[in-house]
Amino acid sequence: MWLLASLTILLLLVFVVIPKLRLRYVLMRAFPHHFSKILRKNLPGYTRMPTDVQMQLKRKIRQFLHEKTFVACGDLEMNDEIRVTIAGKACLLLLNRETEVFPKLSHILVYPSAFVVPRQRIEGGGIVTHTNQTLSGESWSDGRVILAWDQIVNNPHNEKMGQDVVIHEFAHQLDSEDGSTNGAPVLPSTVAYRHWSQVMEREFLRLQSAIDQQEESVIDPYGATNPAEFFAVTTEAFFKKSAELASAHPELFKVLQAYYCIDPREWH
Ligand SMILES: [Zn+2]
C-alpha cells in the first residue's frame, strides 16, 4: 500500500507538478529582445497589434517553444529566426482563446525548401501506384507538422495571394484535435457545430460553383478539395485577407471570427 502511494506521488511529481512549475518559470522570464525583433521583421501586422494581443502572443510563443521540438531536415540549419517565426504565426490561431497550445503536436520538421513525399495509391483491381509529391507543408494528426522554410518568409507570391503555409498547417492541427480531420475544429456546443456545418457547407459549394463558372474568389480554389482543406484555406484568408473575406463572405467571416475570437482587420 505504502509503495503504491509513494509511486503515485512520484508519478504526479514527475509528470504533472514539475512540468507545470517549469512552464511557469519559462513564462515568467522576459521575452528576449531579439525574439521581438524577429516578430517585427517576419510577422506582418505585428507592430500594429494592440499591446495586450502582442503580450498574449509572446506568452503563447514562449510556451510553444518550451513544449515543442524543432527538427532541421535536409541541409537546413535551425536557428531562433525559424523557431520564433513559425511559433509566432502558429500562435496567431490561439489568441483570446482559453486553449492549450496545440496539445497533440510534439515536433515541427523544417526543410529549407519544398520537400518530396512518396505517395502510394490503391486503385481499382488492387493496382498500387507510387508517386512523388512536392509539398511546402504537411500536417499529421500523430503530432507532427512539416514545413518548407523558403515558403514562410520572403515569399512575395504567397504574400500577394494571401497564402500562409504555417497558418494553413496549424489550422489542420486544430481541426484534428477532436480525433478527426473533417473541417470542423472543437466547438463549444451542438448548436455551434450545427451552425458551423450549415455555413461551411454553403460556402464550400459556393467555392466549387465559382470554380466551375471560372469566377474569381477571395478563397484559394484549393479549398474546394474537401472540407478539411476548406477550413485551412479560409483560415489563411481570415488572417491574411480579412477585410476582403469579411466583405465578400460576411457570414463565413463571422463564423471564423466567433471561433478565433479575434478580428485581424484591427492590425491590417
Ligand atoms: Zn492542407
Side-chain angles (χ1 to χ4, degrees), residues 110-128:
V110 191
Y111 284 88
S113 54
F115 48 95
V116 177
V117 181
R119 290 276 188 255
Q120 180 180 303
R121 208 171 61 206
I122 302 170
E123 292 175 55
I127 301 164
V128 181

Side-chain angles (χ1 to χ4, degrees), residues 86-260:
I86 292 173
K89 284 169 177 268
C91 291
L92 285 175
L93 277 57
L94 308 177
L95 296 168
N96 286 348
R97 302 205 290 129
E98 287 284 324
T99 178
E100 290 178 69
V101 175
F102 303 102
K104 290 192 170 175
L105 176 76
S106 58
H107 288 78
I108 299 104
L109 286 74
V110 191
Y111 284 88
S113 54
F115 48 95
V116 177
V117 181
R119 290 276 188 255
Q120 180 180 303
R121 208 171 61 206
I122 302 170
E123 292 175 55
I127 301 164
V128 181
T129 50
H130 297 271
T131 51
N132 284 329
Q133 208 179 352
T134 305
L135 299 174
S136 53
E138 197 170 41
S139 168
W140 290 74
S141 49
D142 67 357
R144 285 178 296 156
V145 162
I146 312 170
L147 294 163
W149 175 239
D150 72 349
Q151 297 296 310
I152 297 172
V153 285
N154 304 325
N155 195 308
H157 173 261
N158 289 355
E159 276 305 316
K160 185 170 167 258
M161 302 301 288
Q163 291 171 346
D164 192 305
V165 67
V166 180
I167 289 176
H168 183 107
E169 301 309 334
F170 280 85
H172 282 317
Q173 282 291 308
L174 295 177
D175 189 357
S176 63
E177 273 177 13
D178 61 359
S180 65
T181 312
N182 57 3
V186 177
L187 296 169
S189 65
T190 27
V191 175
Y193 273 109
R194 203 175 308 135
H195 184 55
W196 179 280
S197 68
Q198 279 167 356
V199 174
M200 286 299 188
E201 201 179 317
R202 197 160 51 232
E203 294 286 346
F204 180 69
L205 295 174
R206 189 176 153 193
L207 178 63
Q208 286 188 325
S209 142
I211 294 166
D212 289 344
Q213 308 291 317
Q214 297 187 327
E215 288 168 7
E216 289 271 311
S217 173
V218 182
I219 303 167
D220 186 337
Y222 184 59
T225 311
N226 58 47
E229 295 306 339
F230 187 73
F231 172 51
V233 303
T234 52
T235 294
E236 284 179 82
F238 179 74
F239 283 97
K240 303 290 292 185
K241 296 192 279 189
S242 42
E244 294 98 310
L245 187 71
S247 139
H249 302 264
E251 219 181 347
L252 174 63
F253 185 86
K254 251 167 90 177
V255 166
L256 290 169
Q257 190 184 6
Y259 173 65
Y260 285 115

Side-chain angles (χ1 to χ4, degrees), residues 31-32 34-40 42-43 61 64-65 70 78-91 149:
F31 196 76
H34 74 287
F35 282 15
S36 297
K37 221 169 137 187
I38 293 166
L39 293 178
R40 286 198 294 274
N42 290 345
L43 220 68
I61 291 170
F64 190 105
L65 296 177
F70 282 80
M78 189 57 68
N79 59 38
D80 282 346
E81 181 176 10
I82 298 173
R83 294 163 68 245
V84 172
T85 303
I86 292 173
K89 284 169 177 268
C91 291
W149 175 239

